[in-house]
């Protein structure tokens, strides 16, 4: 295990159980299901930062490291890496908390790019980040 794989990076954005309907005949969860959960998390975090709608425009890298099993809880973490005029680049990590244990391992990592959009689906500028109120 790499030193950077002992703890998740970023903010816990969502948790979801891996169910039998999400698995193949070997009992491993489909990679497409894992990617969909990561896309949802990128959308949540991107929309929070954009203060509005976002759409996925790119998945620049996606690496499956370990399988997710039925009964695992998929924990998806997000980090905003860069904010452009209308785009938001995020690093997304998926970690599996093994069924009925505290064991947690990184299973997938990806780089997503979201774009802020208006009601018609056209790109709009990402607003400046609001200052934190104490």
């Amino acid at each position: 295990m790499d030193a950077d794989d002992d703890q998740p990076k970023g903010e816990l954005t969502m948790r979801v159980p891996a169910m039998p309907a999400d698995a193949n005949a070997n009992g491993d969860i489909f990679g497409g299901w894992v990617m969909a959960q990561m896309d949802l998390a990128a959308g949540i975090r991107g929309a929070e930062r954009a203060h509005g709608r976002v759409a996925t425009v790119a998945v620049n890298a996606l690496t499956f490291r370990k399988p997710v099993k039925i009964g695992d809880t998929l924990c998806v973490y997000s980090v905003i890496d860069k904010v452009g005029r209308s785009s938001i680049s995020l690093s997304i990590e998926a970690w599996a908390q093994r069924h009925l244990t505290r064991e947690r391992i990184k299973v997938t990592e990806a780089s997503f790019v979201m774009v802020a959009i208006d009601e018609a689906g056209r790109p709009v500028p990402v607003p400046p980040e609001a200052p934190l109120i104490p």
Side-chain angles (χ1 to χ4, degrees):
M1 176 182 279
D2 293 337
D4 65 341
D5 289 343
D6 60 349
Q7 292 295 318
K9 290 182 201 65
E11 180 179 306
L12 178 61
T13 309
M14 48 183 285
R15 296 177 71 213
V16 61
M19 302 297 286
D22 307 317
N24 60 28
N26 296 321
D28 296 326
I29 299 302
F30 287 112
W33 181 86
V34 174
M35 183 178 176
Q37 305 315 306
M38 295 173 79
D39 190 29
L40 288 170
I44 289 168
R45 188 76 186 275
E48 288 171 349
R49 177 58 187 85
H51 304 288
R53 293 178 63 194
V54 295
T56 306
V57 294
V59 180
N60 291 328
L62 180 72
T63 304
F64 295 102
R65 299 168 146 260
K66 303 276 184 188
V68 178
K69 301 289 186 182
I70 294 169
D72 289 351
T73 299
L74 191 72
C75 304
V76 185
Y77 295 81
S78 61
V79 173
I80 295 175
D81 295 321
K82 180 181 172 193
V83 176
R85 190 187 80 74
S86 63
S87 65
I88 302 168
S89 299
L90 303 105
S91 293
I92 307 293
E93 292 184 354
W95 289 66
Q97 182 177 335
R98 296 302 188 196
H99 186 59
L100 301 177
T101 74
R102 292 274 183 201
E103 180 188 8
R104 185 177 60 183
I105 62 166
K106 185 193 289 188
V107 293
T108 310
E109 57 194 358
S111 171
F112 280 77
V113 180
M114 311 303 284
V115 67
I117 58 174
D118 64 17
E119 291 303 317
R122 294 180 301 253
V124 295
V126 175
E129 193 160 21
L132 294 176
I133 299 172

